[in-house]
Amino acid sequence: MTLAELQKDLEARGEKPFRAKQMYEWMHVKLAEGFEEMTNLSKVLRENCKLWYTYTSLKTVQIQESKIDGTKKFLFGLYDGNVVESVCMKYRHGNSVCISSQVGCRMGCRFCASTLDGLERNLLPSEMLAQVYAVTRLTGERVSNVVVMGTGEPLDNYDNLLRFITLLTDENGLHISQRNVTVSTCGIVPKIRQLAEEHLQITLALSLHAATDEKRRRLMPIAERYSIAELMEACRYYFERTGRRITFEYSLVNGVNDTQEDAGRLAALAKPLNCHVNLIPVNPIKERDYVQSEAGRVRAFQNMLEKKQINGTIRREMGRDIDGACGQLRRRHLGSLPDSEGDGRA
Ligand code: SAH
């Protein structure tokens, strides 16, 4: 609930409006894990709240810390026994938390571990928030950036995503600046257009991964639905409405999308939109035989972009030793359970 909704609800139950402010602060600033902690509320009210409301709090199932770069990966348990993963990366400019937006994913990108078992369910706004809150509590450090780049397709869980962004950036809560929130999408065209109308200042990242429809279709089933031309049109619209430049994500797969010609085509797409390109050497997953582009090819790709005046950053790989890429940890966890406990498919 937003603060206004909580105020209205508590008032309707005969409570004083200032109680809402107190509760909201416990939840979204002090990051309490339940009503019991709200010690400036009467015991009776705390007990009543337990009857009236559901308090979302995550179980910490596992934490892994990278010995290479301090990246931490968290596996959190949800009320229904499902698990999701979140990652905390330390950068010079602060801590960035990568959260999941769904349990599993139905987009089917061929190189991605999150989608291998399909979609289980959408995450609630509170379950997305709780990932950020739990990471803050467990690390004892402030989170400055939130990226919705974990498991799931955020625009396939649109309403919950928007409510999550509203709460995350609310001045009465953690108050993370919208500019420090990035949403990554595989490219659901109508949803990109809808998002353009929301007057948000978030960053939109587009997982492009190929510069021709033919190659994109080989990597991403969503490319069967929307052509690159339609996507670029939607990106232009997004920029027009929000003034926010799009970021292209491009995972380099050896011999598939990493030629000089690919780089030239990508530059031609990025140019009119003035896009920044993030180059990510694909993270190999054991279920697929995709291989990372060699370092030399990655650099040559970047050089070609540069020659065409496109800024391309080679994404530093983080947490390689802790199953850092999308869906890997959750998958390993499910795979390690006996069939009766796991979903049997992992
Ligand atoms: N569904 C959203 C967000 C989640 S994936 C999206 O598609 O953008 C976050 C990013 O990681 C996407 O760009 C995705 O294509 C990429 N990704 C997934 N698995 C990967 C892998 N094994 N190696 C490199 N990038 C990967």
Side-chain angles (χ1 to χ4, degrees), residues 4-20:
E5 286 166 345
L6 186 60
Q7 259 158 358
K8 218 168 140 205
D9 196 86
L10 281 173
E11 257 186 288
R13 296 177 191 276
E15 297 295 330
K16 300 255 169 19
F18 74 91
R19 294 290 177 205

Side-chain angles (χ1 to χ4, degrees), residues 145-149 154-155 161 165 169 177-185 195 200-206 238 242-249 276 278:
N145 291 271
V146 173
V147 297
V148 189
M149 283 194 188
L155 299 190
L161 174 80
I165 294 172
T169 57
S177 151
Q178 282 190 7
R179 286 171 177 264
N180 294 345
V181 177
T182 300
V183 170
S184 176
T185 178
L195 191 64
L200 296 174
Q201 284 298 297
I202 59 169
T203 301
L204 185 65
L206 172 66
Y238 187 87
T242 62
R244 301 286 292 160
R245 247 188 266 158
I246 311 262
T247 301
F248 285 169
E249 288 164 279
H276 186 91
N278 272 328

